[in-house]
Amino acid sequence: MDKVIVIDSVMGSGKTSWAISHMNEAPAESKFIFITPFLAEIERVRAALTRREIVAPDNNNAKGRKMFDLKQLIIRGEDICATHSLFRDADDELIELLTGSGYTLILDEAMDVVERVNIGTQDIKTLIRSEYIEIVDNRVIWLFDEYSDSRFADIKRLAKAGNLFIYRNQFLVWTFPPRVFSTFDNVYSMTYLFDGQLQRYYFDMHDISYEYKAVQKCGDCYELVEYDKRNERREELFQLIDVYDGKLNDVAKRSNALSTSWLDRADGDTMLQLKRNHYTFLRNQCDAKAGEILWTTLKDHRGTLKGRGFADSFIPVNTRATNEYADRWALAYVYNRYLNPQEKAFFEENGVSINLGALAVSDLLQWIWRSRIRRGEPIRLYLPSSRMRSLLKAWADYEI
């Protein structure tokens, strides 16, 4: 692989349609691994491939594990369609099997490639003292193979895969092994606003070269063209978004309002006001039914902010790729996206600067595009964070 081809086109522009066409039209000897966020997308891709059969790993095997099946499929040279969550568990054995195997990787949406692991400093010290782990060049090495308790099962799995690191001697960071990308003959990463995604910064950190392309529909076909964000028609798209502007936004005037730390520290009266505000917007001003609504905030605050009659219309702030909600038009995004400070420090101390505005608006747009706007239909949006509204307008003006 010389470079990753980043196919950076707005949601609904035909990236998956291009990928399906590309696989259908490729020579019979070509081999593909298509990685997507959701199981439902696997079935859609499998059904659309008319000139080749693509197989999804399952756990109906001697080991009872999808990863074992994935490795067997690679050994047999099958075309494969799997989820991000499975691919994220790539280990040294998988890398060895992929090396020189002649596969092309098509990655549908950017993956979570760096994460802080949920374990405290004292637990890390306990694991070291108990000789369950050792630290070698900041990498966490798991020593106690007989360990079978559930408490540190995730730590064992990540460390055994060789993807777990200690940072500042205080917390653990999981990173997707960058060697995986070099094992493929070709890599295509399909997303939107790649400049604002952690995968871009991960590529920069590991000196993985990439170039931008876009998808364009020509008649009944989709083809790759040179990337130019001025061709995205952002002005027209922004016209489809009726962003609320009024008193219901007063609770979040400060630039940091509705961030993770702000929500965690907000008192009961403030949270009650937020709950009333997005209820007022969705049910009174929009007069929307539950099946027409999408709303979000941090999962930890979902129970506090849920509104009567549309509690189940919630989808997480990081939802992407799914078309399941393409009929929804009344939206409330009660969050202000920042990068976790420790993840930010991890990148910056490795020489990579993060564009926090691009990161925030990238996630916001992915969430908005779960609605009917992906079909070119108008929506109404309650976006109480003054910062997030400014970033959305900056995107529309091609400033991001």
Side-chain angles (χ1 to χ4, degrees):
M1 180 201 72
D2 293 326
K3 291 182 179 179
V4 175
I5 304 300
V6 176
I7 304 174
D8 196 317
S9 289
V10 71
M11 294 70 67
S13 60
K15 295 187 292 291
T16 303
S17 297
W18 170 85
I20 290 168
S21 176
H22 181 68
M23 289 188 284
N24 269 331
E25 296 171 5
E29 63 271 18
S30 300
K31 294 185 293 184
F32 294 93
I33 295 181
F34 186 95
I35 301 296
T36 186
F38 298 109
L39 287 169
E41 279 296 288
I42 290 178
E43 296 309 313
R44 183 166 83 95
V45 170
R46 292 179 69 184
L49 284 173
T50 56
R51 297 185 183 178
R52 60 176 64 238
E53 182 179 356
I54 195 164
V55 183
D58 60 39
N59 53 18
N60 185 22
N61 55 67
K63 301 289 186 179
R65 295 187 294 111
K66 286 186 178 182
M67 179 55 73
F68 177 80
D69 197 32
L70 173 60
K71 292 173 181 177
Q72 295 303 304
L73 293 173
I74 291 170
I75 290 170
R76 297 202 299 269
E78 303 277 6
D79 290 316
I80 302 165
C81 192
T83 60
H84 283 196
S85 60
L86 178 61
F87 195 57
R88 276 164 44 99
D89 287 339
D91 56 16
D92 288 344
E93 184 180 21
L94 184 69
I95 292 170
E96 182 180 347
L97 289 173
L98 286 170
T99 302
S101 60
Y103 273 98
T104 289
L105 172 66
I106 300 179
L107 185 58
D108 184 17
E109 293 301 341
M111 287 200 331
D112 294 327
V113 288
V114 175
E115 285 183 2
R116 178 178 173 179
V117 178
N118 187 24
I119 182 172
T121 304
Q122 291 305 313
D123 282 337
I124 295 172
K125 292 179 179 178
T126 297
L127 288 171
I128 294 173
R129 283 197 305 265
S130 303
E131 297 185 349
Y132 287 7
I133 65 172
E134 66 175 346
I135 309 301
V136 179
D137 295 331
N138 290 327
R139 184 190 290 259
V140 179
I141 309 297
W142 189 269
L143 301 174
F144 184 29
D145 286 341
E146 291 76 22
Y147 180 85
S148 59
D149 197 352
S150 61
R151 181 181 178 188
F152 298 120
D154 57 335
I155 304 299
K156 177 183 178 181
R157 176 176 57 84
L158 295 173
K160 294 288 285 183
N163 305 333
L164 196 59
F165 297 85
I166 193 165
Y167 185 64
R168 292 181 175 175
N169 292 317
Q170 294 180 335
F171 59 92
L172 301 185
V173 174
W174 168 86
T175 67
F176 185 74
R179 291 181 297 149
V180 171
F181 293 100
S182 65
T183 66
F184 291 95
D185 285 6
N186 305 285
V187 176
Y188 298 95
S189 182
M190 306 189 303
T191 189
Y192 181 56
L193 285 188
F194 185 69
D195 275 354
Q197 295 172 359
L198 290 188
Q199 189 170 320
R200 177 264 171 102
Y201 303 116
Y202 163 91
F203 280 176
D204 290 345
M205 188 172 73
H206 292 291
D207 295 320
I208 297 174
S209 299
Y210 51 91
E211 65 174 304
Y212 291 88
K213 295 288 184 180
V215 164
Q216 179 175 288
K217 188 173 184 181
C218 301
D220 294 329
C221 301
Y222 294 88
E223 61 182 34
L224 296 187
V225 297
E226 293 304 310
Y227 172 78
D228 183 350
K229 67 182 181 182
R230 291 283 172 177
N231 293 331
E232 293 174 2
R233 302 180 296 106
R234 293 184 186 181
E235 306 93 332
E236 296 175 35
L237 295 172
F238 189 60
Q239 288 298 315
L240 296 174
I241 308 173
D242 181 5
V243 183
Y244 171 81
D245 182 18
K247 292 189 301 181
L248 300 179
N249 290 332
D250 289 351
V251 69
K253 284 182 177 180
R254 291 173 53 185
S255 63
N256 73 325
L258 302 182
S259 65
T260 300
S261 59
W262 188 95
L263 286 168
D264 288 344
R265 291 196 295 262
D267 59 32
D269 289 343
T270 301
M271 297 301 281
L272 179 60
Q273 189 61 57
L274 271 174
K275 177 178 179 176
R276 289 172 173 166
N277 286 1
H278 85 270
Y279 181 93
T280 297
F281 174 79
L282 293 170
R283 296 305 295 268
N284 297 343
Q285 296 202 7
C286 293
D287 193 24
K289 302 178 178 64
E292 298 170 319
I293 290 170
L294 285 181
W295 74 279
T296 198
T297 189
L298 281 183
K299 280 186 177 181
D300 289 348
H301 301 285
R302 173 183 179 178
T304 304
L305 296 179
K306 67 181 180 182
R308 180 169 49 85
F310 61 85
D312 292 338
S313 300
F314 176 94
I315 63 172
V317 293
N318 60 349
T319 302
R320 55 181 62 214
T322 180
N323 299 326
E324 185 178 349
Y325 309 101
D327 55 347
R328 308 295 177 97
W329 59 269
L331 281 62
Y333 188 94
V334 189
Y335 186 50
N336 184 2
R337 172 73 161 108
Y338 284 94
L339 184 61
N340 179 296
Q342 291 163 336
E343 291 181 350
K344 182 173 179 285
F346 175 77
F347 279 106
E348 290 181 343
E349 292 197 13
N350 280 281
V352 178
S353 297
I354 306 294
N355 183 331
L356 295 178
L359 177 84
V361 80
S362 174
D363 281 1
L364 172 64
L365 289 167
Q366 286 284 352
W367 189 88
I368 290 173
W369 250 259
R370 298 314 104 212
S371 71
R372 74 181 188 184
I373 194 173
R374 65 184 302 107
R375 304 191 307 207
E377 300 176 23
I379 61 170
R380 297 182 66 179
L381 173 64
Y382 177 53
L383 188 62
S385 164
S386 60
R387 171 177 174 262
M388 296 299 286
R389 289 197 306 278
S390 296
L391 290 172
L392 182 60
K393 185 62 167 61
W395 165 80
D397 293 337
Y398 296 95
E399 296 170 3
I400 293 179

